[in-house]
Every structure is written in structure tokens, then in C-alpha cells.
Amino acid sequence: KWDDVPSAKRPEKALLGLRAALGLFVNLRPAQMHKALADACPIKPEIIGDGFDILVCRELTGDVYFGKHYRRESDKGWGETGADDMNYSVYEVERIGRRAFEMAMKRNKKVCSVDKANVLETSRVWRETMHRIKDEYPEVEYTDMYVDNCAMQLVRNPGQFDVIVTGNLFGDILSDEASMITGSIGLLPSASIGDTAPGLYEPIHGSAPDIAGQDKANPIAAILSVAMMFRYSFHLPDEAQAIEDAVDAVLAQGWRTADIAKAGETAIGTREMGRRIREQM
């Protein structure tokens, strides 16, 4: 119902303002294949193999979302033209780039930087900066990839990725794609953090007003967002792991909400799924 209101009054305006005001320049979006949900993945089993564990590290307070937005008359006589400025400073790329390398050092030590440097000047600044700071992390395997190729590779061979670092616009799109190859957008949490507390933790999906109050929504993404909060804001990794292990255990037992249930399977509701995860802990 908000699709036709002026841009200044859209809900997204408040969320972008909150991120900027709190200095939340890092958006972490994990996309992990739960073994119990391998059959929910839309990719062929021979492609996903033993699964995948991807962390999309998205820059959150720059890029075209925070550039100047305006309209003007076309200089070619084609009528009104909309324009949105895309820009990144070296400082912004350095801080998100270093955060991505730090994340990779705690994982499988691989970073793939995604841009469109064959076309965009913004991406050329991005790539040049990433090439300079990668030398600070000699233990990390580093690659560059164009965004269109990355979108293809996520469905062709998702297991090749560890940490993907990219800008705000590309990260928004690619992280949603990565979420769907796990089986459902209802499974994916996110963390928005800066240099200091507080952080903002939320599922990557929307509010699903079409099923509000019907006890149908999958609560797992919200629950896993709490696990990320324990890990990144409270620095309590054992508690975070306990939550994640409980989710894995309940899925392994075969419990499913409607979005991840196979044809013929009985789905449980939001409250029941939450109760079973809580009891598993």
C-alpha cells in the first residue's frame, strides 16, 4: 500500500536514515545450506554438492541509495529524466574492505570483491582500493568478479564463495539471490553493524502483511538474527552457537513451516516452530 506515496514518505526512507544515523556501514548476510533442507534448494544436488556457507559483506551507507536523487529535462528532448548519483570514496571502500578481510580470516580465508569496473567509474575506485588493501592480508585468497558474473556463479557453483564483499546496490540484489538458493528467504538473518555499538539485527525478508496474524510465517530468520546479535554485539559466541545448533536440530528432526515444507508434508506454525527451537536449547 506504500508503493505510490512520495519517496520522502516511503518506509525505506526511515530505514536508510536509521542506518546512517547509527553509522551501520556493514551489513552481514549469511547464506548457509542446512543439510536437512538440501531438497528445498532449487539447484540440482550435483551442483550444491556438500553445500555452501557464504557471507555477503555489503556496504550499507553509501552508493546510489545515499546519492543525490533528482529529475531534469532530457537534453535530447525526450522529456523528464530521472537521475541517481552513485558514488564511493576511498575511505568507504577501505573500511568495508578491511571488515570483509577480517571476517574471512575467521572463516575459510577467501574474499571475492564484486563490482562493475568494466563500466562504472565508482567500481574502478572500488577495485583499485581493494587491490591496495588486499596486500595487508596475505593469507587471504582474493579475487575480483563482475556483478553479472557473480549472479550467474551463485547458481552455477555457490560452493566457490566464502566472503563476498560488494557495494550497497549490488549487495542488496546478490544477498537476496543467495538467500533463495538456501531454500527460503524465511531462513536468512542479517546484522548491520559499525565501528561501535549498537547494531541492528533483522531478517532480510519483509514484514509479509499478507499472512500477518495467521501463524504461518517462518520465525527462523528472526531467531537466527538474535544469534548474530549474541555473536557480533555481545561477543558471546557460545550462546550464538547454541541458538544456531537448536535451529539445525529442529530442522534435522523434520519440522517445517509452510515455506519450506515439501508437497504432502504437514507444516507447523510460527509459534510451534519457535517453541520447538526454544525447547531444543
Side-chain angles (χ1 to χ4, degrees):
K1 68 181 181 180
W2 304 106
D3 285 348
D4 298 320
V5 301
S7 62
K9 295 184 177 181
R10 289 182 62 90
E12 293 87 349
K13 190 76 172 180
L15 183 58
L16 293 176
L18 185 61
R19 292 168 178 170
L22 295 175
L24 308 177
F25 67 91
V26 184
N27 185 221
L28 300 175
R29 293 189 168 190
Q32 183 180 18
M33 170 57 67
H34 295 272
K35 292 183 179 180
L37 292 177
D39 55 358
C41 177
I43 302 176
K44 294 178 179 179
E46 57 266 32
I47 293 177
I48 61 172
D50 294 330
F52 51 86
D53 184 0
I54 304 168
L55 181 64
V56 179
C57 191
R58 167 191 171 194
E59 203 288 327
L60 202 58
T61 58
D63 207 342
V64 69
Y65 293 165
F66 287 87
K68 183 180 178 182
H69 310 288
Y70 55 97
R71 299 188 186 193
R72 56 180 172 76
E73 283 299 310
S74 168
D75 55 7
K76 296 182 179 179
W78 292 348
E80 188 178 47
T81 299
D84 303 277
D85 289 347
M86 172 184 281
N87 55 78
Y88 266 121
S89 66
V90 169
Y91 167 74
E92 290 172 307
V93 181
E94 283 181 340
R95 66 180 183 176
I96 189 68
R98 289 195 174 97
R99 191 62 65 92
F101 278 108
E102 290 164 6
M103 292 291 173
M105 287 293 291
K106 300 174 183 178
R107 292 168 52 89
N108 294 318
K109 297 184 178 180
K110 293 173 64 177
V111 167
C112 178
S113 176
V114 175
D115 58 39
K116 193 63 177 171
N118 57 332
V119 175
L120 300 175
E121 197 63 33
T122 305
S123 285
R124 294 187 185 107
V125 170
W126 179 284
R127 184 171 291 205
E128 290 166 7
T129 305
M130 290 298 298
H131 279 200
R132 179 167 48 78
I133 66 173
K134 71 179 177 64
D135 295 335
E136 300 173 17
Y137 303 87
E139 296 178 59
V140 177
E141 178 186 337
Y142 175 85
T143 55
D144 295 299
M145 191 174 287
Y146 294 141
V147 62
D148 43 353
N149 185 30
C150 183
M152 179 185 69
Q153 293 295 334
L154 278 170
V155 294
R156 179 178 178 270
N157 179 20
Q160 69 183 283
F161 296 109
D162 179 25
V163 174
I164 295 174
V165 60
T166 190
N168 208 344
L169 176 62
F170 298 156
D172 193 0
I173 298 166
L174 292 175
S175 59
D176 276 7
E177 180 188 7
S179 76
M180 285 311 300
I181 64 175
T182 67
S184 172
I185 200 170
L187 297 169
L188 275 295
S190 75
S192 299
I193 56 179
D195 287 326
T196 59
L200 178 65
Y201 298 87
E202 57 181 331
I204 75 167
H205 58 68
S207 58
D210 56 319
I211 57 172
Q214 299 178 39
D215 196 34
K216 291 182 178 179
N218 188 341
I220 289 179
I223 292 169
L224 290 177
S225 294
V226 176
M228 295 189 78
M229 181 174 66
F230 274 103
R231 178 168 282 114
Y232 295 114
S233 279
F234 301 155
H235 307 293
L236 296 171
D238 292 342
E239 286 77 358
Q241 192 64 53
I243 296 171
E244 292 163 354
D245 289 347
V247 169
D248 285 339
V250 170
L251 291 174
Q253 291 164 11
W255 300 105
R256 304 285 185 268
T257 46
D259 58 312
I260 51 176
K262 293 188 296 184
E265 284 186 333
T266 300
I268 60 176
T270 310
R271 295 181 183 88
E272 179 68 8
M273 178 62 82
R275 183 185 68 81
R276 290 189 176 276
I277 293 172
R278 184 176 66 250
E279 289 182 352
Q280 188 65 45
M281 291 176 61

